[in-house]
Amino acid sequence: MGRWRAALALAAATLIAACAPTAPDGVDTAVLDREIGSRIGDPSTCVLVADRASGRIVYRYGSNTVCARSYPACQDTPVRTVEDLLKALGSTATAVTTSCPTAADGSRSVGWAAGPVAGQDLVFAAVMEGPRALPGMIMADRLAGAFAAGVE
């Protein structure tokens, strides 16, 4: 019975790994994870990086739950996900930064940042929500440094 459990666990791990985004050449995911973690990392942070031409997500920082949640958009639409922002950005790669309160008393806020990854055919979108959420402009600045360290 023990071998079946081990085989089943290995099969599950293989399937999960197959579903994860695969980074393109020149993207060191371990370095990028560490850099994002030290610059803006928080349990309520999600950063997605996509190929500019195809829109295919090639990197994700943050849990499935945080990355799939809808947050106040701060403008235009009432709520959106970080993937919605990434899709709206498309191949134009125009930088976007916004911030707004998510609690009526101002105790929580959400910050959004999106734009091109300098020197690459990649775009990113990021969200951070909670009492320690950074404004979008600061997130974008800190992520630029993280991308410089983790993307050749």
Side-chain angles (χ1 to χ4, degrees):
M1 193 59 131
R3 278 192 262 179
W4 284 106
R5 286 185 195 173
L8 189 57
L10 180 60
T14 302
L15 284 172
I16 290 169
C19 294
T22 55
D25 289 341
V27 177
D28 188 331
T29 57
V31 171
L32 202 49
D33 285 346
R34 184 180 70 243
E35 291 294 323
I36 291 173
S38 69
R39 293 168 192 262
I40 67 165
D42 185 86
S44 65
T45 301
C46 177
V47 178
L48 297 179
V49 177
D51 177 79
R52 186 188 312 234
S54 70
R56 182 178 66 89
I57 295 172
V58 297
Y59 172 82
R60 184 189 77 214
Y61 176 92
S63 72
N64 287 332
T65 303
V66 171
C67 290
R69 280 189 60 205
S70 293
Y71 300 93
C74 303
Q75 53 186 240
D76 301 334
T77 58
V79 296
R80 69 176 168 209
T81 66
V82 70
E83 192 168 347
D84 292 338
L85 177 58
L86 190 63
K87 287 177 183 174
L89 185 67
S91 62
T92 61
T94 304
V96 174
T97 60
T98 59
S99 304
C100 62
T102 58
D105 65 1
S107 62
R108 296 178 70 87
S109 62
V110 63
W112 293 96
V117 175
Q120 301 294 317
D121 283 334
L122 302 170
V123 292
F124 79 93
V127 66
M128 187 177 199
E129 194 267 342
R132 300 184 330 188
L134 298 170
M137 189 179 331
I138 298 202
M139 285 176 47
D141 184 53
R142 290 185 182 184
L143 284 170
F147 294 141
V151 180
E152 297 175 349

